[in-house]
């Protein structure tokens, strides 16, 4: 019976993603944010439980990707869709807004990202491109900004900026630039310097800006990964 526990946790992730999608359509944003957080926790736990029980299976791997496609593929696209529709019309969407449909580029590139990840054996200790949960966290940060607007950052919720974010993050998910993971191989400082410093900064940002900080944290993660990558490249002779 215990061998089915990891798959049950994965299905909880899928359920949370489906419910979060409904909450976004009905304007229940706080519920949507909470459900995405619960789904992300389930996504983290299913692998840990599978390793603990030593019950890895091909079914579990496929279920994980399918659940992620909803929670971290459909959901971020839907977040951008409702935010663009709201920015265009001045109210939460009550009907189909064709001009906001480009937001689902995020969903399409999430599917491409997840498919590539399943076939790529180079991403065991890190990532090539932005992981789909990172993209989703950025979009959750935008929801936080919508719920508690900041005068200095309101331009981010304008249609042009949201379209640009759609294109940028679609590209970031499939670009083959290494990005560091948060897997700690040990509890020592050596070898984990970047992870520990980043986690401390991220925690501080969350304390100051709460949910709105998630977008800034993801941007910091991307910039840090880019800096590490380009600083290690050998200059052309």
């Amino acid at each position: 019976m215990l061998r089915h526990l990891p798959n049950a946790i994965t299905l909880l992730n899928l359920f949370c993603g489906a419910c979060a999608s409904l909450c976004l359509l009905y304007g229940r944003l706080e519920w949507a944010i909470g459900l995405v957080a619960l789904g992300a926790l389930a996504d983290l736990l299913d692998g840990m439980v599978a390793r603990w029980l030593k019950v890895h299976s091909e079914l579990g791997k496929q279920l994980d990707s399918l659940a992620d496609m909803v929670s971290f593929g459909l959901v971020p696209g839907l977040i951008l869709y409702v935010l663009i529709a709201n920015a265009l019309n001045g109210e939460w969407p009550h009907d189909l807004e064709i001009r906001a449909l480009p937001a689902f580029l995020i969903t399409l590139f999430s599917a491409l990202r997840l498919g590539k990840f399943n076939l790529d054996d180079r991403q065991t200790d890190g990532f090539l491109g932005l992981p789909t949960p990172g993209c989703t966290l950025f979009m959750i940060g935008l929801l936080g900004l919508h719920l508690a607007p900041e005068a200095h950052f309101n331009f981010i919720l304008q249609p042009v900026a949201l379209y640009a974010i759609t294109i940028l993050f679609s590209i970031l998910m499939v670009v083959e630039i290494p990005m560091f993971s948060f897997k700690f191989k040990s509890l020592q400082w050596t070898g984990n310097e970047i992870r520990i410093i980043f986690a401390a900064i991220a925690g501080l940002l969350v304390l100051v800006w709460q949910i709105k900080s998630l977008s800034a944290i993801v941007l910091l993660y991307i910039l840090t990964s880019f800096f590490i990558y380009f600083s290690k490249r050998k200059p052309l002779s």
Side-chain angles (χ1 to χ4, degrees):
M1 193 69 180
L2 283 177
R3 71 179 187 274
H4 299 297
L5 183 58
N7 290 344
I9 297 173
T10 300
L11 291 176
L12 174 62
N13 175 18
L14 177 57
F15 178 75
C16 289
C19 292
S21 299
L22 286 176
C23 290
L24 287 167
L25 289 174
Y26 294 130
R28 301 295 296 271
L29 303 188
E30 293 87 353
W31 277 87
I33 292 170
L35 285 163
V36 171
L38 182 58
L41 178 61
D43 184 52
L44 178 67
L45 288 177
D46 59 4
M48 294 175 59
V49 172
R51 287 189 292 272
W52 177 54
L53 295 175
K54 298 180 181 179
V55 289
H56 292 282
S57 68
E58 186 60 29
L59 174 61
K61 180 180 178 181
Q62 297 304 321
L63 281 177
D64 188 65
S65 288
L66 292 170
D68 286 354
M69 186 56 230
V70 176
S71 296
F72 309 127
L74 175 61
V75 167
L78 195 51
I79 290 173
L80 278 172
Y81 171 82
V82 294
L83 287 177
I84 291 173
N86 180 77
L88 289 169
N89 300 315
E91 61 179 1
W92 209 248
H94 300 294
D95 200 355
L96 177 66
E97 176 51 78
I98 295 177
R99 293 172 295 174
L101 290 179
F104 289 106
L105 275 176
I106 287 289
T107 302
L108 302 182
F109 276 81
S110 295
L112 184 58
R113 157 81 198 175
L114 290 167
K116 290 179 64 178
F117 181 82
N118 286 346
L119 299 174
D120 196 339
D121 58 4
R122 297 171 294 169
Q123 303 188 55
T124 54
D125 296 324
F127 304 105
L128 290 175
L130 180 67
T132 53
C135 178
T136 304
L137 284 177
F138 183 89
M139 305 311 165
I140 291 293
L142 295 184
L143 276 185
L145 188 59
H146 172 81
L147 288 169
E150 293 277 354
H152 298 298
F153 298 106
N154 283 345
F155 71 92
I156 297 175
L157 297 179
Q158 297 305 309
V160 173
L162 292 171
Y163 285 132
I165 287 171
T166 301
I167 295 171
L168 175 61
F169 275 81
S170 295
I171 294 171
L172 284 171
M173 282 190 288
V174 296
V175 67
E176 294 210 349
I177 292 181
M179 299 193 181
F180 67 92
S181 76
F182 292 95
K183 294 180 180 178
F184 286 81
K185 293 184 177 180
S186 70
L187 297 178
Q188 298 178 348
W189 167 263
T190 304
N192 293 311
E193 299 92 340
I194 296 296
R195 297 178 183 87
I196 294 172
I197 293 172
F198 183 87
I201 295 173
L204 181 61
L205 289 173
V206 170
L207 285 175
V208 175
W209 286 340
Q210 290 82 46
I211 293 173
K212 292 178 287 187
S213 68
L214 295 178
S215 295
I217 290 170
V218 174
L219 284 178
L220 179 62
Y221 169 73
I222 294 168
L223 292 174
T224 302
S225 296
F226 275 36
F227 175 78
I228 294 171
Y229 171 66
F230 286 110
S231 65
K232 289 182 177 179
R233 294 186 68 185
K234 295 180 179 179
L236 296 175
S237 56

